[in-house]
Amino acid sequence: MAVHFLIPFLLFLQAITPSSASNSSSAAIGINYGQVADNLPSPEAVIPLLRSLGVGRVKLYDTDPRVLRAFADTGVEFVVGLPDRLVPKVRDPAAALSWVKTNLHPHLPRTRIAAVTVGNEVLSSNDSARIQSLLPAMQSVHSALATLGLDRQVAVTTAHSLAVLSTSFPPSAGAFRRDVLPYVSPLLSFLSKTGSPFLINAYPYFAYKADPKRVALDYVLFQSNQTVVDPGSGLRYDNMLHAQVDAVRAAIAAAGGGKGVEVRVSETGWPSAGDEDEAGATAENAGRYNGNLMRMVAEGKGTPMAPGAPLHVYVFALFNENLKPGPASERHYGLFKPDGAPAYPLGDAEAPVDNSTSPTAGAHSPGASSTDYYTTISSATMGTERVSVVTAASVLALILPFA
């Protein structure tokens, strides 16, 4: 792994991290370490790469023992995953205890495991057995950790897609789908009781991809000079990610039982390449999205609804993964190529590159007004790790301003 490839990243990170940033702010950025590929470097080779980037938080989709052993005594904090297929099984307390003893206990405390995600986007799936098993499985895993004296060290949570929402705009009107609410409400009570975060996978890229003529690219790339006003709260939004996160916060408040639950972004990113019909999937846009995102997180900025709470974010993803199914974009979310070279430069200050037909000026640009908006969100499977596609209707709901 050539060291000279890292120089642009090091200079970028030095530039975006303010001298006054708190430790909690600088540690708020993490990265998803996916491994759906046959050409990735060894876990041992990943360690100096992460150290060079100053990233101290890593999220896995499993409990790969090679990775967890390699990162022993490094101080890197991990969120590990219990696969979807095991969710129904570990609702049995004995099975949960066996899983924890086999997959977590041998690595603690030398490897820092801060949380376990029980499944990924289960509540927006079509698997009724997994949906019904989700909370019992989380409770069983938590009980297993308590039995081993690890419950104060390792949190138990699960990640959700935006498809769990029925209403997403304005953010203050955020609400969970009626069919999901019976499962979300007790889950929120569990998270509140155990002090665990609510994780959301949020991708403004899908909004732009679905309707590039009406979605303002600068708004999704954190480069808008205008704001969208939430008529319910009066809060102003200059980027879509914050609007998405605050819609989740509002939905949690409306559901009740989630007092004090922190919202964290467990996945967000932008592809550096894609198929011909995948608008916006370019290296330039990926560099701007992730560069501006990392700068915002490093500055410790919260969302308009919670400005004093630095937003914790896990970027998707560390590497391009050549075996991921689906459109070409799925194989180009990495900050790095498998050889350790950056997939694209970060922090370019040029104007955003819009590779779609220029949108008609007026009603659907941030800062303009609209009295027509939509609130339906749906999801479709796009691989084993990330299941989150926003329909055209929900795209408009996420970004269209109100009169």
Side-chain angles (χ1 to χ4, degrees), residues 279-295:
T282 68
E284 292 82 4
N285 290 339
R288 293 183 180 103
Y289 182 84
N290 285 318
N292 289 331
L293 170 69
M294 293 170 72
R295 180 182 294 107

Side-chain angles (χ1 to χ4, degrees), residues 2-20:
V3 175
H4 68 273
F5 281 135
L6 298 176
I7 294 176
F9 275 75
L10 294 173
L11 294 176
F12 168 75
L13 289 171
Q14 289 176 354
I16 68 172
T17 305
S19 58
S20 60

Side-chain angles (χ1 to χ4, degrees), residues 13-53:
L13 289 171
Q14 289 176 354
I16 68 172
T17 305
S19 58
S20 60
S22 66
N23 290 335
S24 61
S25 298
S26 61
I29 193 74
I31 197 157
N32 284 276
Y33 182 3
Q35 300 181 79
V36 186
D38 60 6
N39 57 356
L40 298 182
S42 68
E44 290 79 8
V46 172
I47 295 172
L49 177 61
L50 292 178
R51 282 178 172 164
S52 298
L53 292 176

Side-chain angles (χ1 to χ4, degrees), residues 157-175:
T157 186
T158 188
H160 308 275
S161 77
L162 286 173
V164 297
L165 299 182
S166 64
T167 304
S168 57
F169 198 93
S172 61

Side-chain angles (χ1 to χ4, degrees), residues 160-162 164-165 167-176 198-204 219 222 230 235 237 239-253 261-268 289 293 296-297 301-307 309-314 377 397-399:
H160 308 275
S161 77
L162 286 173
V164 297
L165 299 182
T167 304
S168 57
F169 198 93
S172 61
F176 291 109
F198 186 97
L199 303 183
I200 187 72
N201 298 339
Y203 287 88
Y219 185 64
F222 307 97
D230 183 327
L235 296 174
Y237 291 85
N239 70 83
M240 185 185 292
L241 182 66
H242 278 178
Q244 292 175 330
V245 171
D246 278 356
V248 173
R249 285 198 169 101
I252 291 174
V261 173
E262 178 187 5
V263 177
R264 296 188 176 189
V265 179
S266 42
E267 290 184 20
T268 193
Y289 182 84
L293 170 69
M296 179 187 71
V297 173
K301 288 184 177 179
T303 68
M305 200 174 286
L311 184 62
H312 286 71
V313 174
Y314 287 85
I377 290 182
L398 288 166
I399 58 94

Side-chain angles (χ1 to χ4, degrees), residues 164-395:
V164 297
L165 299 182
S166 64
T167 304
S168 57
F169 198 93
S172 61
F176 291 109
R177 288 176 6 211
R178 287 187 178 182
D179 61 313
V180 168
L181 199 55
Y183 302 102
V184 168
S185 293
L187 189 149
L188 289 172
S189 296
F190 169 83
L191 296 179
S192 179
K193 180 180 179 180
T194 60
S196 302
F198 186 97
L199 303 183
I200 187 72
N201 298 339
Y203 287 88
Y205 165 70
F206 290 135
Y208 183 75
K209 174 184 174 181
D211 198 353
K213 292 184 178 180
R214 300 182 72 183
V215 175
L217 185 60
D218 57 355
Y219 185 64
V220 296
L221 295 181
F222 307 97
Q223 294 182 325
S224 178
N225 292 322
Q226 302 181 55
T227 58
V228 176
V229 180
D230 183 327
S233 66
L235 296 174
R236 294 180 173 272
Y237 291 85
D238 60 9
N239 70 83
M240 185 185 292
L241 182 66
H242 278 178
Q244 292 175 330
V245 171
D246 278 356
V248 173
R249 285 198 169 101
I252 291 174
K259 183 178 181 180
V261 173
E262 178 187 5
V263 177
R264 296 188 176 189
V265 179
S266 42
E267 290 184 20
T268 193
W270 195 286
S272 59
D275 294 320
E276 290 185 3
D277 62 348
E278 294 190 283
T282 68
E284 292 82 4
N285 290 339
R288 293 183 180 103
Y289 182 84
N290 285 318
N292 289 331
L293 170 69
M294 293 170 72
R295 180 182 294 107
M296 179 187 71
V297 173
E299 291 173 350
K301 288 184 177 179
T303 68
M305 200 174 286
L311 184 62
H312 286 71
V313 174
Y314 287 85
V315 177
F316 189 90
L318 183 57
F319 293 110
N320 286 337
E321 299 170 68
N322 68 330
L323 298 182
K324 295 200 71 174
S329 61
E330 286 295 299
R331 295 175 288 282
H332 292 89
Y333 272 89
L335 295 181
F336 291 95
K337 300 175 183 179
D339 65 358
Y344 47 82
L346 288 173
D348 193 338
E350 296 178 7
V353 176
D354 187 338
N355 62 355
S356 68
T357 303
S358 297
T360 302
H364 302 302
S365 298
S369 63
S370 173
T371 57
D372 185 22
Y373 56 97
Y374 306 87
T375 57
T376 303
I377 290 182
S378 66
S379 66
T381 301
M382 290 178 58
T384 59
E385 289 179 352
R386 197 163 42 76
V387 188
S388 181
V389 177
V390 184
T391 63
S394 64
V395 166

